[in-house]
Amino acid sequence: MKEKVREAALTGFVALDRRLPAAEAAKALLRKAFPDHWSFLLGELALYSFAVLVLTGSYLTLFFDPSMTQSVYAGPYEPLRGLRMSQAYLSTLDLSFEVRGGLLIRQVHHWAALVFIAAIAVHMLRVFFTGAFRRPREANWIVGLTLFVLALLEGFAGYSLPDDLLSGTGMRTANTIVLSIPVVGTYLSSFIWRGAFPGHVILPRLYVVHVLFVPGVLIALITVHLILVVYLKHTHWAERGRTNRNAVGQPMFPQFATKSTGLFLMIFGLLTALGGLAQVNPVWAYGPYRADQVATDAQPDWYVGFLEGALRVMPPWETVLWGHTFMWNVLIPAVVLPGLLFTGLYLYPFLEKWIAGDRSEHHLADRPRNQAARTALGVAGIVFYAVLLAAGGNDVIAFSFRVSVNTLTWIFRIAVVLGPVLAFWVTRRICLALQAHDRRLLAEGRESGNVEQDVRGGLGEGHEALSAAQGYRLMVREVPEPLTAPRPRAELPRRQRLRLALSSWYYGDRVEVPVTPEQRRAVEERTAAPIEPEEPGTAAGRGEPAGRGR
């Protein structure tokens, strides 16, 4: 009987597979190689934090009321009894004090949002510093960056929904930013708030954006992102057996699936522990929002703190033209600055490819030290962001350390200009020093820890040769050489002269590794692109600088 049942089931599966070939796709997915290095888990950290956000957010929507209708509080929290407040703030208080498990879910949701955005940011930094945005992954870089921008919008919308004094202050700042946009600012503000601030529709509209529009787009883009990751394969570090033409890792089942499930459970447990033990966003301590009040130490969440800092360090510049006031002190730090920042990030993969004259595919991850200019740019960006984030709390810092707010503001103004420049120079020198260290290791070997005496009687540190795996990791690298001009630079168009100058600045400082001709050929073989298509209009045919080298 059992044999007949098994045979019937097998026949059914075969018949189903003929009509819907899912088994073949499932087998290919189960055999897919996934990376085994810890740094590649940052994307999963963001994914599982988003899963916790969806689960907890679904629970919160059952009890939250985004209405701005005013009522008098008569709940269990005595300090707020008798105060007028919106239904949004009232339902948030009810969630915190009267709904069973409501406060825990609220705090888990908030912590998951912070971890989600932080994980995306660190994941993007890993992709940037290792060069994983290069061809063929430019589209995935754009998708990932768009996910980060949408996560910022989603976080700000959720942060604003409780309608407490802190979030209301943030909404006032957002309204000021919209009003600072020349020509269309007043129209945008009237459309978004449906009249003068604070209006009566902004919270219901933000609620729809927060629970429907942005999550839907996030889910769609995450799906596209994962499909591209599966299709394009992952990058990997240069190790023996790992080249630019293969994808080495652990199969999805059972190794990767087991690790990934364990990571999800750890994240869920950690976020639950944070929600139960670490207080975050205590809205009852801030009170309901009133347009005529603001807390002195009002601070936004970290992911928008750099905008607050930029607003605080910007000088009070305004210009009146034709009866209209241009608020440069708001427009430049809150509109122009983030616009330029994210535009540069979107265009960076294509800009670097243009500077390097590089049209090949890259599946080997760069060691950050080997790309000194790129690493220095990344560190300079981090320092720039960190200074602005610290400037967003200049009043709290001034109060805590008993210093003048004006003095502290000038310190931040100087630091936001000189800090990134200094960070770029120092990081680039450190990267070159590490490259020189790698060269010395390849030439002399690593120190053995033993004192040895040479034939002349001199004493010195003994050295021993690197292992084959260590030598492979140091020698196999992709570092483009600066472009060379096909003819005298004076005869070249201005655009090509600019490209040559940028290429020389970007790739000029480097430390070559000591390799024999045989080793060089082996390195070139392992870093060769999987496909080298003949593209129409080559560099030589257009009279452009010569292509990349290693």
Side-chain angles (χ1 to χ4, degrees):
M1 185 64 180
K2 291 182 179 180
E3 293 296 332
K4 291 182 179 180
V5 173
R6 187 181 296 110
E7 183 178 353
L10 181 60
T11 304
F13 283 129
V14 171
L16 179 63
D17 190 54
R18 287 175 179 173
R19 294 165 176 78
L20 183 64
E24 184 177 352
K27 289 179 181 178
L29 182 61
L30 293 177
R31 291 194 304 266
K32 184 194 180 302
F34 282 85
D36 51 5
H37 193 269
W38 66 266
S39 61
F40 292 87
L41 298 178
L42 295 169
E44 294 180 57
L45 183 62
L47 176 63
Y48 296 145
S49 300
F50 181 73
V52 176
L53 277 172
V54 172
L55 292 174
T56 54
S58 299
Y59 181 82
L60 294 176
T61 56
L62 301 176
F63 305 97
F64 181 73
D65 181 4
S67 172
M68 300 183 72
T69 304
Q70 297 290 310
S71 59
V72 177
Y73 181 70
Y77 189 66
E78 187 171 348
L80 295 179
R81 284 182 185 173
L83 291 181
R84 293 185 60 82
M85 58 187 63
S86 65
Q87 284 295 120
Y89 187 62
L90 180 62
S91 62
T92 305
L93 293 176
D94 289 341
L95 259 170
S96 302
F97 297 120
E98 298 191 66
V99 175
R100 186 178 296 274
L103 180 58
L104 174 64
I105 300 299
R106 262 198 65 234
Q107 298 204 144
V108 171
H109 189 74
H110 199 111
W111 278 114
L114 296 177
V115 173
F116 175 59
I117 300 175
I120 295 179
V122 179
H123 176 63
M124 296 290 292
L125 288 176
R126 197 275 303 173
V127 171
F128 179 83
F129 284 121
T130 62
F133 56 82
R134 296 172 297 174
R135 184 180 178 184
R137 298 175 180 83
E138 301 97 333
N140 224 8
W141 169 264
I142 293 175
V143 171
L145 190 56
T146 305
L147 282 170
F148 181 65
V149 174
L150 289 174
L152 296 180
L153 174 61
E154 180 77 344
F156 177 75
Y159 170 86
S160 304
L161 285 178
D163 199 32
D164 59 289
L165 185 59
L166 185 61
S167 64
T169 302
M171 288 299 299
R172 164 63 82 182
T173 303
N175 179 258
T176 305
I177 293 172
V178 173
L179 287 172
S180 71
I181 302 176
V183 182
V184 299
T186 53
Y187 298 101
L188 284 176
S189 175
S190 179
F191 171 75
I192 296 173
W193 278 268
R194 201 173 177 180
F197 179 86
H200 298 282
V201 300
I202 184 61
L203 290 186
R205 289 181 174 182
L206 274 181
Y207 183 71
V208 174
V209 170
H210 182 69
V211 304
L212 182 62
F213 290 162
V214 177
V217 179
L218 282 174
I219 292 173
L221 287 180
I222 288 173
T223 303
V224 172
H225 186 72
L226 294 177
I227 291 173
L228 288 176
V229 168
V230 172
Y231 177 73
L232 298 173
K233 309 296 187 294
H234 62 274
T235 58
H236 49 205
W237 299 102
E239 296 180 9
R240 300 188 69 181
R242 303 186 179 192
T243 69
N244 205 36
R245 297 187 175 186
N246 62 6
V248 180
Q250 296 180 339
M252 180 177 181
F253 187 83
Q255 287 89 343
F256 178 78
T258 304
K259 290 183 177 180
S260 189
T261 303
L263 179 63
F264 172 70
L265 295 175
M266 290 171 61
I267 293 171
F268 205 123
L270 177 62
L271 291 175
T272 304
L274 284 173
L277 301 175
Q279 179 177 273
V280 61
N281 196 25
V283 295
W284 55 87
Y286 308 134
Y289 176 66
R290 287 182 50 180
D292 60 339
Q293 293 183 358
V294 61
T296 303
D297 58 347
Q299 306 294 321
D301 281 338
W302 70 268
Y303 47 86
V304 291
F306 76 102
L307 289 179
E308 179 76 15
L311 288 168
R312 296 192 183 195
V313 301
M314 183 69 187
W317 294 344
E318 293 182 357
T319 303
V320 179
L321 295 175
W322 307 292
H324 297 278
T325 301
F326 291 84
M327 299 186 297
W328 307 114
N329 56 329
V330 179
L331 180 66
I332 292 178
V335 179
V336 176
L337 174 64
L340 292 176
L341 174 64
F342 284 103
T343 300
L345 289 174
Y346 275 111
L347 297 178
Y348 185 84
F350 310 99
L351 179 62
E352 184 175 298
K353 181 169 66 174
W354 179 70
I355 293 175
D358 184 4
R359 296 182 179 86
S360 59
E361 293 188 5
H362 299 274
H363 302 284
L364 285 175
D366 285 331
R367 299 178 74 200
R369 67 180 64 181
N370 292 334
Q371 296 286 349
R374 181 203 298 156
T375 303
L377 281 175
V379 173
I382 293 173
V383 170
F384 180 74
Y385 173 85
V387 172
L388 291 181
L389 181 61
N394 61 351
D395 53 343
V396 178
I397 297 174
F399 178 79
S400 301
F401 293 94
R402 301 294 190 271
V403 296
S404 168
V405 174
N406 293 331
T407 301
L408 198 60
T409 300
W410 272 105
I411 292 174
F412 282 126
R413 286 174 179 173
I414 296 172
V416 81
V417 176
L418 299 183
V421 176
L422 181 61
F424 178 89
W425 182 82
V426 171
T427 303
R428 191 164 188 168
R429 300 312 304 173
I430 291 175
C431 289
L432 294 175
L434 291 173
Q435 290 183 34
H437 175 70
D438 291 343
R439 175 185 175 87
R440 188 164 57 252
L441 286 177
L442 287 170
E444 303 175 1
R446 62 184 180 88
E447 296 177 350
S448 63
N450 299 323
V451 178
E452 298 179 356
Q453 186 174 24
D454 58 26
V455 294
R456 297 181 180 85
L459 299 176
E461 181 76 25
H463 292 78
E464 58 186 19
L466 298 178
S467 65
Q470 292 172 329
Y472 188 98
R473 181 165 59 91
L474 297 183
M475 283 189 292
V476 178
R477 63 178 191 171
E478 297 178 285
V479 184
E481 296 178 355
L483 297 177
T484 56
R487 56 181 185 269
R489 292 200 180 194
E491 301 177 6
L492 295 174
R494 183 178 301 174
R495 178 175 178 272
Q496 295 183 19
R497 293 201 302 269
L498 173 63
R499 184 183 183 187
L500 290 169
L502 288 174
S503 180
S504 177
W505 170 78
Y506 205 86
Y507 297 111
D509 290 338
R510 54 197 291 143
V511 178
E512 299 291 349
V513 295
V515 292
T516 64
E518 293 79 8
Q519 290 173 330
R520 185 176 298 278
R521 285 193 294 270
V523 170
E524 291 178 351
E525 179 182 351
R526 286 159 176 77
T527 57
I531 301 175
E532 294 288 350
E534 291 292 336
E535 297 185 4
T538 60
R542 294 192 302 269
E544 293 187 355
R548 69 187 291 271
R550 293 186 180 87

